[in-house]
Amino acid sequence: MEDMVCLPEVDVIMAATTGAAGLQPTLNALRQGKAVALSNKEPIVMAGPLLKDYERKYGGAILPVDSEPSAIWQCIQGETNEIRRLIITASGGPFRTMPLEEMAAVTPEQALNHPTWQMGPKITIDSATLMNKAFEVIESHWLFDVPWENIEVVVHPQSTIHSMVEFTDGSVKAQLGPPSMRLPIQYALFYPERRRNPDDSLIPRLDTSIAQALDFRPMEPERYPCFDLALATTRQGKTYPTALSAADEVAVNAFLNGKIAFTDIYRVVESVVNTHQPTPAETLEALVAADTWATAEAERVVGKLG
C-alpha cells in the first residue's frame, strides 16, 4: 500500500483499511500531493495535526468518506459563513435501550447486529460503544477546524439525517439519505462533480412517499463511557490519541474473540490511556512508538482481565 499510493498514474486513493495500517499509506499519498478519500478514521484520530500539516505542505487533499463527516462536508459547500455548530447524528447502536445491568453479558453476535448500518466488525463494535462517534467528532474537528465545544452529538435512531451544520445566523443545513455508504464514496471519488450513477438502483434514494419520523434524543453518557473517555483523552494532545486508537483496536479484537466482556472494552482503553507517557506527536516515528507501546500494554491488560 505504501508504494501503490505513490504511483504516478494514481490520482485518488480510497483509504478504507482498518486501524493503524492506513496511517503510513495516507501520509505517503499526501506527501505526493494526491487526493485521499478517507474512510479509515484511525489515521486522522492518531495523527490529525500531522495529516493536516502534510495536506497544507504538499498540496494534497483529504476528502471525507465516512457518512457523517461527508454530510458536514456536503453541507458547507459554497458557504463562506461562520460555522456556529456541527451536529453529528448517532443511531445509538444495538444497545440504545438495553438495561445497563445487562451490558456486561452482551455477545459479539449481538454487538455485530447493528440496527441500521451494514459495516465491518471493527467499526460495528465501535458503533455499539460509540467510540466510533467520538472518532467522528475528532475527525470533524481536524477536517473542518471547528472547536471541540462547538461539536455536538445527538441520537437519531433512523440514521436518515447524517449530520447538520448550524451557521452563525441560526440557519441549519442537513444532509439526508438512506443509511448507505455508496453515496459518500461516489461523492468523494468524483468531487467536485455530482455524477448520476448509470444504475440508479445502486444509490438508495430517500423515499418521501411513505410516512417517516425523524427522532432526536440526548445521548446517555453512562451508556457510552467510551465516548467521553475518547474525547477527554484526545483533547490532551501529544500522542494520547494514538494510544487511544491502538488500545481500542486491541480491545475490540479481544472482545470479538471472546477474551473479554463487552464492558471491558472501556476498561482496557481507560487503563492504557491512564498509564500512557505522552510525547509530542510531531513525527511518524513518535506515533509509531506510541502505537507499539499502547498495543503491547492493551494486550497485557486484556490478559489480566481475561
Side-chain angles (χ1 to χ4, degrees), residues 55 57 59 67 125 131 140 148 169 172 203 221 246 286 288 291:
E55 182 184 39
K57 186 182 297 183
S67 59
I125 302 303
M131 181 69 82
S140 298
W148 298 109
D169 63 351
V172 177
I203 305 294
V288 170
D291 180 76

Side-chain angles (χ1 to χ4, degrees), residues 134-190:
F135 284 178
E136 289 172 2
V137 171
I138 297 165
E139 182 179 5
S140 298
H141 167 74
W142 293 120
L143 287 178
F144 308 115
D145 195 26
V146 173
W148 298 109
E149 59 272 18
N150 293 356
I151 306 176
E152 299 180 11
V153 171
V154 62
V155 174
H156 170 53
Q158 292 84 10
S159 297
T160 300
I161 297 177
H162 301 302
S163 277
M164 296 174 275
V165 180
E166 181 182 357
F167 296 95
T168 189
D169 63 351
S171 179
V172 177
K173 291 172 72 173
Q175 193 269 332
L176 287 74
S180 168
M181 285 303 302
R182 291 182 175 185
L183 180 59
I185 290 170
Q186 179 171 289
Y187 184 72
L189 288 177
F190 293 107

